[in-house]
């Protein structure tokens, strides 16, 4: 620029803000050259990064609770119904606000992806960190804002086996006689599918098929199953119970003295 007061040239401080306009850096430098003696500062253009959590295929619904926050790499497949099948978690990135001529700018492959916590839940936030840009002209851009994705951690499936119940025989076979309360607390020591440090307490109602006769093994139908740890989903193993003989105690026996002339077939004898 020209300084009218002194009649000498002055330093040109020219700032180009790429945010929100269609001017690229090359145009800016060409414009600066035509201005003569001067300097120019080109600010990096801010880009947004949309992140989507992928698990090998579109039909995958999330990972099973495994006690970790990991969303990248090998995780348990929550659609498999078992605790042995794994899938690979990764993040698919979509950049926004990149100039048309700079379409080769992409996200570099090195990043980390972790849920905010390890607990089971739907639509949980995945924090993606260490995201950088690569490709030709990547240095013209900067990432604005946090990069996050959404994913599900499904409750971990376990099978619980109640201890076999035992009830006394009841020839009347009433509903009350056939019904028992079931209760079980499992840890990794008693159920290998439970993670170390976790406990799962399960309660339910059991109903005998019959208690009319003594038996060592009678089918017991289990219903009303509830448990106290939302990181797990519980299936109950088939259950049988015992029907035992009824103990008789504190029974008084009354003997009657026969009347004169009575025989053993007459009323009055016990």
């Amino acid at each position: 620029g020209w300084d009218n007061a002194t009649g000498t040239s002055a330093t040109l401080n020219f700032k180009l803000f790429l945010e929100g306009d269609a001017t690229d850096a090359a145009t800016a430098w060409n414009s600066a050259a035509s201005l003569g003696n001067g300097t120019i500062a080109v600010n990096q253009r801010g880009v947004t990064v949309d992140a989507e959590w992928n698990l090998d295929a579109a039909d995958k619904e999330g990972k099973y609770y495994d006690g970790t926050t990991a969303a990248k790499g090998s995780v348990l497949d929550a659609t498999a119904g078992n605790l042995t099948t794994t899938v690979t978690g990764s993040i698919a990135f979509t950049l926004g606000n990149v100039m048309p001529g700079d379409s080769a700018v992409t996200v570099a492959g090195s990043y980390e992806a972790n849920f905010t916590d390890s607990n089971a839940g739907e639509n949980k936030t995945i924090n993606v960190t260490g995201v950088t840009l690569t490709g030709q002209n990547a240095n013209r851009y900067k990432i604005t804002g946090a990069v996050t994705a959404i994913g599900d951690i499904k409750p971990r499936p376990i099978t619980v086996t109640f201890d076999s119940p035992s009830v006394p025989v009841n020839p009347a076979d009433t509903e009350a006689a056939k019904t028992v309360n079931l209760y079980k607390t499992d840890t990794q020591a008693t159920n290998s599918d439970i993670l170390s440090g976790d406990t799962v307490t399960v309660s339910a109602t059991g109903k005998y098929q019959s208690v009319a006769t003594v038996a060592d093994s009678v089918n017991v139908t289990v219903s009303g199953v509830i448990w106290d740890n939302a990181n797990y989903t519980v299936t109950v193993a088939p259950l049988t119970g015992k029907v035992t003989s009824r103990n008789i105690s504190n029974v008084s026996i009354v003997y009657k003295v026969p009347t004169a002339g009575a025989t053993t077939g007459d009323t009055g004898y016990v």
Side-chain angles (χ1 to χ4, degrees):
W2 188 259
D3 187 339
N4 289 324
T6 62
T8 60
S9 60
T11 299
L12 172 67
N13 292 307
F14 180 87
K15 289 187 178 180
L16 172 67
F17 292 92
L18 290 179
E19 292 86 346
D21 61 40
T23 307
D24 63 20
T27 302
W29 284 111
N30 291 334
S31 298
S34 67
L35 293 175
N37 186 22
T39 60
I40 183 172
V42 181
N43 289 354
Q44 290 176 303
R45 184 182 181 89
V47 295
T48 59
V49 180
D50 291 330
E52 181 180 0
W53 190 39
N54 288 336
L55 291 172
D56 285 353
D59 62 343
K60 305 304 181 184
E61 296 179 357
K63 78 165 190 172
Y64 279 135
Y65 165 71
D66 61 4
T68 76
T69 61
K72 182 184 178 184
S74 180
V75 297
L76 289 173
D77 180 9
T79 63
N82 60 65
L83 295 176
T84 58
T85 302
T86 60
V87 289
T88 301
S90 61
I91 302 294
F93 297 100
T94 302
L95 296 180
N97 205 34
V98 175
M99 300 301 300
D102 291 338
S103 57
V105 176
T106 59
V107 172
S110 178
Y111 61 88
E112 296 296 329
N114 290 279
F115 287 90
T116 54
D117 60 62
S118 64
N119 294 322
E122 296 183 349
N123 296 320
K124 294 174 67 72
T125 297
I126 300 171
N127 295 313
V128 186
T129 57
V131 178
T132 58
L133 301 176
T134 187
Q136 187 178 11
N137 298 328
N139 61 337
R140 296 179 179 178
Y141 298 92
K142 63 180 178 181
I143 297 173
T144 58
V147 180
T148 61
I150 297 295
D152 295 344
I153 300 178
K154 301 293 186 180
R156 187 179 183 89
I158 61 172
T159 299
V160 170
T161 302
F162 284 110
D163 296 332
S164 180
S166 179
V167 297
V169 66
N170 187 311
D173 209 28
T174 63
E175 292 298 304
K178 293 190 290 185
T179 302
V180 293
N181 294 321
L182 304 171
Y183 185 87
K184 182 74 177 292
T185 296
D186 269 342
T187 64
Q188 192 177 66
T190 55
N191 189 324
S192 60
D193 288 334
I194 295 177
L195 298 181
S196 177
D198 286 354
T199 61
V200 181
T201 298
V202 185
S203 60
T205 299
K207 183 178 179 181
Y208 276 77
Q209 185 176 5
S210 173
V211 294
T213 59
V214 173
D216 287 332
S217 181
V218 178
N219 288 333
V220 178
T221 301
V222 179
S223 62
V225 180
I226 58 174
W227 57 95
D228 66 346
N229 193 327
N231 287 325
Y232 294 84
T233 182
V234 173
T235 299
V236 175
L239 183 65
T240 61
K242 290 184 178 182
V243 180
T244 61
S245 57
R246 184 177 291 275
N247 294 324
I248 299 176
S249 60
N250 299 322
V251 177
S252 299
I253 299 177
V254 179
Y255 293 90
K256 290 186 178 181
V257 178
T259 57
T263 66
T264 57
D266 291 338
T267 303
Y269 283 90
V270 177

